[in-house]
Each structure stands twice: as C-alpha cells, then as structure tokens.
Amino acid sequence: MEYKFKTTEELLTFLNKELLSAAEAAGVLDISKARLGQLVKDGKLVAAKEQPKMFLKSMLLEKKDELESLRKKFRPYDE
C-alpha cells in the first residue's frame, strides 16, 4: 500500500491514528506482549519502527483475522 501526504499535518494525523505501540498492538491482537515479540522475531509481523516498537494498525487488523481463524482451528475448546 502506498501513502501520499500533501502536508506535514496530514502525515502527523495519519501517524497518530495508525501507529500503535507494542502494548496497544498486543491489545488489538488479544495476545501478550511476549507473544507479539515472538511474532516479530519469527517474521510473521513486521514492526513499522523498531525502538520503541510501533505497528501499523492496518497490518495488525490483517494479522488479527489470521490469528482468530487459527485459534478457532487449533483451540476450539476456547469458544
């Protein structure tokens, strides 16, 4: 996906809305921060920024759908 911004203000608005901290990302995915770190280490999730780790919301929402389907498949007793 390609993003284009006409002004610095547009860019900052986008970043404030779309970048999430590791804690926020773990909350969106409903996983622990340790599990989030493991997903990054395994290359299954890419951080937008390394230190401190920041994630794009759109990428997290895609990963969330994937994780939910895997939970249903491998952990049916959780429902």
Side-chain angles (χ1 to χ4, degrees):
M1 185 175 282
E2 186 175 320
Y3 301 100
K4 293 184 180 182
F5 305 98
K6 294 178 183 173
T7 66
T8 301
E9 185 176 298
E10 282 182 12
L11 171 62
L12 292 175
T13 299
F14 172 81
L15 292 175
N16 282 321
K17 181 179 170 192
E18 295 297 323
L19 277 182
L20 301 177
S21 69
E24 291 168 323
V28 166
L29 297 176
D30 195 27
I31 58 175
S32 68
K33 284 177 42 177
R35 176 68 179 128
L36 181 72
Q38 191 63 47
L39 288 173
V40 172
K41 183 179 176 186
D42 292 345
K44 295 180 179 178
L45 186 63
V46 177
K49 183 175 184 234
E50 282 301 314
Q51 291 299 327
K53 285 210 182 325
M54 302 294 283
F55 299 88
L56 277 176
K57 190 175 184 180
S58 59
M59 291 175 71
L60 290 174
L61 294 176
E62 288 176 19
K63 180 56 74 175
K64 180 179 181 176
D65 291 340
E66 178 187 333
L67 291 176
E68 286 175 352
S69 68
L70 289 173
R71 282 187 197 117
K72 287 178 185 175
K73 181 177 180 180
F74 295 107
R75 296 173 58 184
Y77 50 83
D78 282 353
E79 292 182 355

